[in-house]
Amino acid sequence: PIIGISKVSCHRAIVLLVTCWYMYAVTGTSSCAVSAFSSSPPQPAPPSVVCVGETLYDSLPEALFLGGAVTNVAVHLSSLGVPSAVASCVGSDQLGREARRRLETRGVDTSLMQAHGNLGTGMVIATIDDKGDASYEFDTPAAWDGLRWTDELGDAILAAQVTVIGTIACRLGSSEGATSAATISAIRSAAGEDSLVMDINLRPPWYEAGDVLALCRGDAEDAAALAILKLNDEELPILESWCGLQPTDNRLFGDAIKARMEALGSATNAKRICVTRGENGAALYCRDGDVFVENDGHSVSESQPGSDTVGAGDSFLAALIRYLLLEGELPDKALDRACALGAYVANVRGAVPSHDGAPDALRRIFSPQ
């Protein structure tokens, strides 16, 4: 390490050099300007889903990947044939321009992305353990802390069928993320019935119990219920404790988890609760009709060398949004599709691999028919 320069800052400098080298290799010019590309990707259709939050780079041991939870959701939605847009803030730098280019290449609408004049594009170092699970070190403050409310953003959300928000970009409990937090809170207040999906991603120390619950419930007694509240099995007991819930059976299967999800849905103003269980699949509870389904997940015969679980939950959520909310499929079928896509992404490198590389058995399940 260079004295006086953080590990994340060193990564940022290396990434910029690599990006410039890549542009030289592709365009034959030493300029790092994205405009050097001879042609632009076709403009996507108006978005059916707007994903609001963080766009950043995941620095993994093997490679550098564009990421951010809601950004990953948008890319997977696009891969599933759903017109999607990312509303985020990147830096006025080469990394920010490259982020836009990569998203556009994957068919994602970037017209709602903003450029910050002072803060750089976000970066996170992901450390992968022996099980392929990641822990994260964020470079903050970053541009994704500065997402502002605009009339254009408001109009896009009103026109979209679904809006996706999460807890990372809010930086709940941190004044650094105040601008993005205020924007996402405004989106929560403006949300229509059955149109808002919230993804719980608790990253210490950037959350406060009261702030997360307020975002779930809305700031008014007549606030629209969340269409889906998604969380994982480690976050479930945390939210239960915040809501004062004390389940008599803490198991994550069958009637036990159904009772827990039913209680949490009522406490958080969510019409549907989805709890992911890693390699053990997921469970889904729909309060309307008292419908409960669960899926044991899908196995992959051989994982890609250096595989990680980064983005698996995001791909899962994208499939659930497409098939459950947009297509209106039965919950058990939609959940099976989501588990299949999540299993594929959990066994390869990076958060947004091409769906074409999935094993045929899984692709037949999660791909549009």
Side-chain angles (χ1 to χ4, degrees):
I2 301 174
I3 296 175
I5 300 179
S6 71
K7 179 167 62 174
V8 178
S9 296
C10 288
H11 270 71
R12 181 183 296 278
I14 293 170
V15 169
L16 183 57
L17 289 173
V18 171
T19 303
C20 289
W21 172 85
Y22 171 77
M23 295 300 297
Y24 178 81
V26 172
T27 67
T29 175
S30 59
S31 172
C32 287
V34 173
S35 59
F37 279 84
S38 59
S39 61
S40 299
Q43 289 299 310
S48 299
V49 180
V50 176
C51 300
V52 185
E54 71 283 359
T55 295
L56 47 77
Y57 286 88
D58 292 321
S59 179
L60 297 170
E62 289 80 12
L64 186 81
F65 299 92
L66 187 65
V70 296
T71 299
N72 295 337
V73 172
V75 173
H76 283 291
L77 281 166
S78 179
S79 296
L80 290 169
V82 177
S84 62
V86 170
S88 186
C89 189
V90 294
S92 299
D93 50 25
Q94 175 56 30
L95 293 178
R97 291 187 289 273
E98 176 65 9
R100 290 175 184 266
R101 189 197 67 82
R102 293 190 187 189
L103 289 171
E104 290 166 359
T105 299
R106 297 296 295 268
V108 177
D109 187 334
T110 62
S111 63
L112 298 174
M113 293 187 70
Q114 302 170 11
H116 202 286
N118 299 317
L119 296 175
T121 301
M123 181 77 67
V124 57
I125 297 176
T127 302
I128 309 300
D129 64 19
D130 294 339
K131 297 180 180 179
D133 296 326
S135 58
Y136 302 94
E137 179 185 348
F138 289 84
D139 181 19
T140 60
W144 52 270
D145 289 318
L147 178 64
R148 296 172 289 103
W149 174 271
T150 64
D151 290 341
E152 183 183 14
L153 175 58
D155 291 343
I157 289 168
L158 289 175
Q161 293 175 263
V162 174
T163 300
V164 182
I165 61 173
T167 53
I168 295 179
C170 291
R171 292 286 296 278
L172 300 167
S174 169
S175 60
E176 290 179 351
T179 302
S180 292
T183 298
I184 294 175
S185 294
I187 290 171
R188 176 65 181 96
S189 299
E193 192 68 30
D194 216 26
S195 68
L196 190 66
V197 173
M198 182 169 171
D199 189 10
I200 300 291
N201 286 287
L202 301 181
R203 298 286 186 264
W206 295 324
Y207 61 85
E208 299 286 346
D211 293 336
V212 174
L213 291 180
L215 196 60
C216 291
R217 295 165 174 164
D219 58 4
E221 291 186 4
D222 60 348
L226 295 172
I228 299 175
L229 177 65
K230 172 190 161 289
L231 64 163
N232 63 35
D233 52 2
E234 295 180 351
E235 293 160 341
L236 175 60
I238 297 174
L239 263 71
E240 286 176 326
S241 67
W242 291 350
C243 295
L245 302 175
Q246 297 179 330
T248 56
D249 188 337
N250 290 319
R251 287 179 297 176
L252 293 169
F253 299 88
D255 290 340
I257 194 170
K258 176 188 176 184
R260 297 174 68 181
M261 297 168 73
E262 182 178 4
L264 186 62
S266 178
T268 55
N269 193 22
K271 295 183 68 173
R272 304 170 186 87
I273 294 281
C274 187
V275 177
T276 57
R277 305 181 298 210
E279 62 184 11
N280 296 313
L284 173 66
Y285 178 73
C286 308
R287 293 172 64 194
D288 290 349
D290 189 34
V291 176
F292 170 75
V293 295
E294 56 185 331
N295 188 291
D296 293 335
H298 293 270
S299 60
V300 177
S301 59
E302 186 175 348
S303 297
Q304 185 182 80
S307 63
D308 57 73
T309 62
V310 177
D314 306 326
S315 65
F316 171 96
L317 182 57
L320 196 65
I321 290 170
R322 164 157 187 156
Y323 295 113
L324 184 65
L325 296 185
L326 300 181
E327 300 294 332
E329 287 189 347
L330 294 175
D332 57 345
K333 185 175 182 180
L335 186 64
D336 188 46
R337 290 181 184 271
C339 285
L341 182 53
Y344 163 56
V345 174
N347 285 276
V348 296
R349 289 184 295 176
V352 287
S354 169
H355 291 185
D356 292 339
D360 289 342
L362 293 180
R363 191 169 64 251
R364 282 194 293 267
I365 297 171
F366 69 69
S367 293
Q369 301 299 319

